[in-house]
Amino acid sequence: MPGMPTFGMLFDGILFILALWWLKEMFGRIREDWSEVRNPETELIPRLVVIGLWLLTALVAMFALSVLIMIVTGIATGLRSMF
């Protein structure tokens, strides 16, 4: 069957859930991070760590968006084949 779930799909699903959790946690701390980056008393290393975390968050968001598009495309294709 072409639509059979695979372990790769399960792995993608787990990564998608973890990505959503990561995004929820990071967007919950955006104000503190922004104030830490803007604070002139903050040293360079903590600023770079915060910036690095947000760059990683951008990658996680792109992954989550691509998986979401894959899911919506799969559902639309499945619905189209039913009719």
Side-chain angles (χ1 to χ4, degrees):
M1 241 185 226
M4 279 302 271
T6 63
F7 286 111
M9 292 171 76
L10 176 65
F11 186 68
D12 284 342
I14 291 170
L15 285 179
F16 181 68
I17 290 169
L18 289 173
L20 292 179
W21 173 74
W22 176 273
L23 293 171
K24 175 192 159 295
E25 293 296 320
M26 287 302 291
F27 280 103
R29 56 179 272 173
I30 194 168
R31 289 185 180 163
E32 297 92 26
D33 288 348
W34 180 247
S35 66
E36 186 171 348
V37 168
R38 291 187 65 215
N39 185 359
E41 296 175 4
T42 304
E43 294 183 23
L44 178 64
I45 299 299
R47 280 186 188 182
L48 291 177
V49 169
V50 169
I51 292 169
L53 283 173
W54 281 99
L55 289 174
L56 179 62
T57 300
L59 291 174
V60 169
M62 286 190 291
F63 167 77
L65 184 62
S66 70
V67 170
L68 188 61
I69 290 171
M70 182 179 65
I71 290 170
V72 169
T73 303
I75 291 172
T77 303
L79 288 175
R80 188 176 307 157
S81 69
M82 287 175 57
F83 298 108

